[in-house]
Structures are given as structure tokens and as C-alpha cells.
Amino acid sequence: MAAENEAGQNAVAQPAAAESANPQREQDINPWSVEGAQGENGEIIPIDYDAICRKWNTQTVDQKLLERFEQVTGHKPHRWLRRGLFFSHRDFDKILDKYEQGKPFFLYTGRGPSTGSLHLGHTIPLQFTKWLQDVFDVPLVFMLTDDEKALFKDSATFEETLEYAMENARDIIALGFDVKKTFVYSDLKYLGNHFLMNAWEFSKLVTFNQVRGAFGFNESSNIGRIFFPSVQCVAAFATSYPELWTDEPLTARTKEIASIPCLIPMGIDQDPYFRLLRDNAHRMRYPSPKPALIHSKFLTALQGAGGKMSSSNPNSAIFMSDTPKQIKNKINKHAFSGGGATLEEHRSRGGNPDVDVAYTYLTYFEDDDAKLAEVYKNYKSGELMTGELKKMAIELLQEYVLQFQEQRKLVTDEVLDQYMKPRKLQWAGNKNPKPKAAAESKECSVQLG
Ligand code: TRP
């Protein structure tokens, strides 16, 4: 394996190139903005995900890993794994080993609350996280980074982002996470005690040079931004939440709790944070294993590859609060089409599903692989028209969003309180661990759950 300084090399986030006579620029992906490359004539080039894997030295999710997943869990891999939406990872295979041995681990993910309502793109990693939670039967901690959003957006106040966090929490809960296994928290409200002690200890291990390298900060960056990575990182340490693992009042962080591994599903743009974490987790007083990561691509904007759905551009995204009519109009008016320019041209030369946004959305939501392959073939041959393809996408999206809105109505204040209350979580993990593997393993495990 290559020397693993995950935060060091390669990780420098370049500030977006200034507008100049030559509009050509490279793709720029960092936790706060995602821009596709731009060609000579200013055209946006689709995001090159292989290039990110190479640059950041991540492992690709390949057939072998998917087979191993199925063998260990007994579940068919989710369509987002089969179709490469979750395309990259770090040590996901090691989590499968743990699971196989019946060892505990937990899931951690999060969201930066930038507006009151989630869009479709936000829900994908979250929905996937719920699926992982169901498959593995493990605890999940869900961080709402209302602190981050106010620090990184000059015009945002902390009151505003806290309010968004509470609204977003309702959306997240509506996705169906199991309350017995899920702790949702706002940084502004929850951080203290053990969590903060971890954050301070971690910050003591990391220099300004390192965060500058990983995130592109400079001497004019506010000091909150410089400290914040510490907060997002230590959320992956089980010691940050002693209440979740035991009923006894814990007065100190412990070695046993620190040893619980963590798996973090995320958009690939968040990777710089977790390289920093993986480089330093073992240096804590109570060391934690390097967390495992699984990375998703960005959900394609209505305008097509090269952009991602963005809350600040309402026409780029389907919002989870949109009406069926709005969804229909957005897809019909704004979804980039790979169809022929005229009906005749489409019939004779066929369409291009690979750049077609309606087709792309079908790949996110149509579970039937055979049906999807049929649509692909018929669109490419010109038999299936753009209007028909769009109609299919519209119907699937309307159903998904409507179902979500029904669930959202059920999230009362009491339900919200249940999820956001620190309490001992209950889960079972792997009920049939492989006996031999368990016996062979020398690592100790805590009695949890
Ligand atoms: N920084 C993320 C955002 O702005 C939120 C986040 C916090 C997160 N912790 C995470 C995302 C862990 C994925 C995994 O959206």
C-alpha cells in the first residue's frame, strides 16, 4: 500500500480560478463547492470521478467488493451500489470483516443545514445510510453542522442555521431511520463534555499547515473555520457520545468505547475531512481505528452532468417540498435531454441516455435492472421518445416525494425529541457471526448493545 498520508499529498483545494480570457479550468471539488471542469469554449465537462479516486487515492467499489458484501450480509447490494452511485471507499472491506465476526461498529453521517428543506440530492446518501443501518442493524449518529454552515456562509446567522437544523432533522427522520438505533443532534445544541474534549484533543494534534493543505484556508480565514474540522472529525469517535453505549453514567472516555469502529457514508466532497481523521485517529489518548468511508457521486443537476443539485439554484433541483406539478414542470422544462433535436432526428439517430437527466434519475429510482436496460436500449435506438422517458422519471419522482411528504407529517415535536435525546441505543448487529472468524480474532471487543 502507498504511504498513507491521507490529508497531506494531493489534498490541496485550489481556490476557484478567477475569470479570465481563457475560461478553461479544472474541476474543483471541496467540501463547500463542486464545479465541473470547463473546456476551451467555456463548456462544462462532466465530473471525472475516476480522476478523483486517483487524485485522492481512494479504493473503487468493484464487483469483488459487492460479491463479498452479498456473501457476508446475505443482501443483494443496493441499486446505488450496483450502478456505481456509491463508487469509492476506504476500508469498507474491513467493516465487512468486522460484521462477519459479529463485532460492533456504528454509522456516522451528517448534513450541513443550508436551507429549511432538503432536495432530492441530499436524500440519496441519507436513504443509503438508512439502508445500511437496516442491513447491518447498527447504531447511527447523525450530525447537523449548524455551526459549520454559519461559519462558512458570511450572511448566515447561528440562529438561522440552528433553525434550519431543526427543520432538516424532521426531514431526516421522515426518511425512516429506526428511533431505537438513531441519535440525531445539532452541533450548536449538543456539543460539550466528552465531545468537546475530543475536539480539543484532536485540534492539538493538527497544525494550521495541515488544515490549510486539506481545505485551502489562509491567514484571513476566521478561526472558527480553522477549528471546525476537529468537530466534524471527532464525531466518528464513539467516546464523543458515552450515553449511547451504556446506561451507566460515564464520567470518562474509555479505551473500550474508543475502539468501536465507525463507517461513514458521505458525498465524495467530504473526503478531505476524513483523510485528516484517518491520519490522526490513532494518535488520540484513547486511539480509535481509522474510520471506514463509502463515497457517493453527486446527484446530477437538472441541467446535466458537471453540476450538482444546489439549494441556491431552485431550477437545478427537485425539492422534497415540491408539489407533483412543480416536479412535472421542472423535469419537462429544465431536465437536460439527450434526445434528438427533432422527432425525425430522434427516430433515425436515436437519443443519448448517458447524458440524459431524466434517464439518470430513472437509474436512481427504478430498482428493476432489466426494465432499466430495456429503457436504455429503446432510447438509444430512437424507439422511445424524450417525452415518454421524462414521463417515467416524473412518475417515479412524484411518488418518492409524495411518500416522503406523508412521512414528514408524522414527525411531531415529540417524535423529534425522541430522536434528539441522548440515550442508550439498542441494536443487534450480526445475529449469525461466523464462529471460526470470531474465535480466531484476537482483538477485544466491548460488550455493547
Ligand atoms: N459537512 C457536511 C455538509 O456540509 C455535513 C457532515 C458532517 C457530514 N459530518 C458528516 C456529511 C459526515 C457526511 C458525513 O453537508
Side-chain angles (χ1 to χ4, degrees):
M1 201 163 68
E4 210 178 23
N5 173 0
E6 293 178 23
Q9 7 136 284
N10 313 329
V12 182
Q14 299 296 341
E19 292 281 317
S20 69
N22 181 356
Q24 209 167 356
R25 57 146 212 252
E26 296 203 0
Q27 65 184 12
D28 179 25
I29 292 165
N30 64 63
W32 305 284
S33 88
V34 173
E35 284 179 280
Q38 211 160 293
E40 265 174 48
N41 303 315
E43 75 281 12
I44 299 287
I45 297 168
I47 288 168
D48 181 346
Y49 289 101
D50 291 337
I52 307 176
C53 284
R54 282 196 304 274
K55 185 170 173 192
W56 287 352
N57 200 15
T58 66
Q59 299 157 279
T60 46
V61 170
D62 56 17
Q63 203 48 41
K64 218 175 107 221
L65 185 67
L66 296 187
E67 278 161 21
R68 171 94 178 119
F69 175 88
E70 187 155 356
Q71 176 222 340
V72 171
T73 65
H75 281 262
K76 181 173 171 185
H78 193 282
R79 60 178 178 278
W80 298 334
L81 282 169
R82 304 199 299 274
R83 298 179 190 154
L85 191 59
F86 283 80
F87 71 109
S88 152
H89 74 104
R90 296 182 192 273
D91 291 344
F92 186 63
D93 47 328
K94 291 198 182 146
I95 285 291
L96 293 177
D97 295 344
K98 295 272 175 212
Y99 180 78
E100 185 174 49
Q101 297 158 12
K103 297 277 177 61
F105 72 93
F106 72 105
L107 290 161
Y108 155 44
T109 195
R111 140 132 193 101
S114 54
T115 57
S117 176
L118 298 194
H119 63 57
L120 200 68
H122 299 135
T123 69
I124 296 261
L126 309 188
Q127 198 84 64
F128 184 69
T129 304
K130 173 188 156 29
W131 180 80
L132 289 174
Q133 182 185 49
D134 291 344
V135 167
F136 290 122
D137 196 348
V138 287
L140 162 69
V141 294
F142 198 109
M143 171 185 245
L144 288 153
T145 55
D146 36 17
D147 47 357
E148 177 190 25
K149 280 295 147 181
L151 287 168
F152 285 87
K153 188 172 172 197
D154 290 333
S155 61
T157 65
F158 287 89
E159 282 84 359
E160 262 163 17
T161 55
L162 174 57
E163 210 178 298
Y164 292 152
M166 300 310 276
E167 281 307 302
N168 286 184
R170 290 174 193 266
D171 284 354
I172 289 154
I173 292 165
L175 292 171
F177 296 101
D178 182 342
V179 66
K180 292 200 291 301
K181 298 177 233 170
T182 307
F183 174 49
V184 180
Y185 62 99
S186 131
D187 284 356
L188 290 175
K189 283 193 152 183
Y190 176 70
L191 256 67
N193 295 329
H194 304 85
F195 200 120
L196 206 53
M197 196 188 287
N198 275 339
W200 288 123
E201 189 185 326
F202 193 82
S203 74
K204 197 175 164 187
L205 302 173
V206 178
T207 66
F208 175 57
N209 270 332
Q210 285 169 310
V211 287
R212 178 170 51 194
F215 302 106
F217 298 146
N218 62 44
E219 286 80 350
S220 304
S221 305
N222 70 51
I223 60 176
R225 292 186 184 186
I226 296 164
F227 177 69
F228 175 75
S230 198
V231 169
Q232 177 152 333
C233 285
V234 303
F237 296 151
T239 48
S240 293
Y241 327 84
E243 319 85 318
L244 309 189
W245 319 112
T246 145
D247 278 328
E248 283 140 49
L250 267 193
T251 50
R253 301 174 295 170
T254 67
K255 193 170 149 232
E256 286 70 31
I257 303 258
S259 72
I260 308 174
C262 178
L263 168 63
I264 316 176
M266 70 183 83
I268 184 79
D269 58 313
Q270 298 293 311
D271 188 70
Y273 281 113
F274 300 116
R275 291 198 293 266
L276 196 66
L277 174 59
R278 285 167 54 90
D279 280 345
N280 292 290
H282 66 284
R283 301 174 60 210
M284 295 289 287
R285 173 168 182 220
Y286 299 110
S288 288
K290 280 185 203 291
L293 318 178
I294 182 148
H295 303 114
S296 75
K297 297 181 181 170
F298 309 113
L299 204 69
T300 303
L302 285 163
Q303 285 71 25
K308 70 164 185 170
M309 284 197 178
S310 158
S311 305
S312 47
N313 176 3
N315 286 334
S316 75
I318 308 280
F319 284 87
M320 298 309 282
S321 52
D322 281 350
T323 62
K325 198 159 160 223
Q326 281 173 315
I327 294 176
K328 184 171 166 203
N329 287 341
K330 280 188 190 177
I331 298 280
N332 280 335
K333 277 202 201 124
H334 300 292
F336 182 82
S337 166
T342 64
L343 201 124
E344 291 75 42
E345 197 187 306
H346 187 82
R347 286 273 185 232
S348 65
R349 285 205 231 139
N352 181 358
D354 296 319
V355 299
D356 194 287
V357 170
Y359 178 77
T360 308
Y361 290 2
L362 272 191
T363 69
Y364 298 149
F365 293 102
E366 175 56 65
D367 199 46
D368 185 337
D369 291 341
K371 187 167 168 194
L372 197 67
E374 188 73 12
V375 170
Y376 187 92
K377 192 179 104 228
N378 292 344
Y379 195 59
K380 208 160 179 150
S381 73
E383 206 175 304
L384 186 72
M385 303 305 294
T386 296
E388 296 168 305
L389 180 64
K390 284 196 168 181
K391 187 156 169 280
M392 290 182 203
I394 289 167
E395 281 169 4
L396 277 177
L397 291 178
Q398 284 175 334
E399 191 192 308
Y400 179 71
V401 172
L402 224 64
Q403 227 179 42
F404 169 84
Q405 290 170 356
E406 290 300 311
Q407 293 303 314
R408 175 71 153 78
K409 284 189 206 141
L410 307 177
V411 186
T412 58
D413 291 350
E414 292 73 47
V415 171
L416 185 68
D417 286 348
Q418 280 176 355
Y419 279 88
M420 299 190 79
K421 181 173 180 265
R423 77 221 105 98
K424 184 174 180 235
L425 299 178
Q426 291 169 329
W427 73 98
N430 187 352
K431 291 184 207 72
N432 299 303
K434 205 170 153 189
K436 190 157 166 277
E440 265 172 14
S441 168
K442 285 183 287 297
E443 283 168 80
C444 69
S445 77
V446 264
Q447 277 305 315
L448 297 160

